[in-house]
């Protein structure tokens, strides 16, 4: 099962949740602290944006 990263804005707490891709599509994860999902946002794990190249080149 893949693990997904989330962040609860209510608690200011990042957490991970392991669920199937189907579950992930159907509903948001619940925060383990406040047990709400409306303040939870998804985080994209293991993706790095390549925008810091400018400073390295010069
Ligand atoms: Zn929370």
């Amino acid at each position: 099962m893949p693990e997904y990263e989330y962040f609860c804005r209510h608690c200011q707490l990042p957490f991970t949740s392991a669920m199937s891709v189907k579950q992930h599509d159907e509903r948001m994860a619940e925060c383990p602290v406040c047990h709400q999902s409306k303040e939870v946002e998804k985080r994209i794990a293991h993706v790095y944006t390549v925008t810091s190249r400018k400073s390295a080149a010069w």
Side-chain angles (χ1 to χ4, degrees):
M1 231 185 271
E3 266 199 356
Y4 296 94
E5 281 188 33
Y6 296 92
F7 182 80
C8 180
R9 281 178 296 200
H10 182 253
C11 308
Q12 295 290 297
L13 181 82
F15 65 96
T16 59
S17 179
M19 61 173 77
S20 69
V21 175
K22 191 166 178 283
Q23 282 178 309
H24 179 251
D25 283 345
E26 283 172 355
R27 59 191 175 89
M28 285 297 290
E30 265 185 11
C31 172
V33 178
C34 64
H35 298 285
Q36 288 182 34
S37 58
K38 60 183 176 186
E39 295 290 325
V40 172
E41 61 186 36
K42 280 181 202 176
R43 288 197 153 179
I44 301 164
H46 313 301
V47 175
Y48 299 97
T49 51
V50 192
T51 50
S52 60
R53 201 174 267 197
K54 242 186 286 179
S55 54
W58 300 96

